[in-house]
Amino acid sequence: KPQHISNTLWAFATLAFHDAPLFSVLAAGAVGRAGEFNAQDLSCGLWSLATVLHRDAPLAAAFAAQAAHRASAFDAQSLGQTA
């Protein structure tokens, strides 16, 4: 479920714990499902990756495309986390 992926990323990022292999597995699972993520899931996922400095170009591109597509669904907090 997209919310579970973003919540897991968020939990580790909040603890400033970066397990690169774990983040890579979660990112790989999220790329193909990016269209299923809602605005909050996208913003939390992007915030989490940025917070721990995890670089994943395919996921960032997929999430950015979905964020642009759903821009009107983002509230102020989601926009702030995505920026």
Side-chain angles (χ1 to χ4, degrees):
K1 216 173 159 183
Q3 183 181 7
H4 296 161
I5 294 171
S6 66
N7 285 352
T8 301
L9 291 169
W10 176 85
F12 281 103
T14 299
L15 296 171
F17 182 79
H18 181 222
D19 183 320
L22 173 64
F23 270 65
S24 293
V25 167
L26 291 169
V31 169
R33 301 179 71 184
E36 299 173 35
F37 282 66
N38 65 29
Q40 183 178 2
D41 297 334
L42 290 168
S43 66
C44 284
L46 287 168
W47 176 87
S48 301
L49 296 172
T51 297
V52 297
L53 304 176
H54 184 82
R55 295 173 193 233
D56 189 291
L59 181 61
F63 273 17
Q66 287 303 313
H69 180 69
R70 294 199 180 113
S72 63
F74 281 70
D75 61 15
Q77 181 180 0
S78 295
L79 283 173
Q81 286 181 312
T82 305

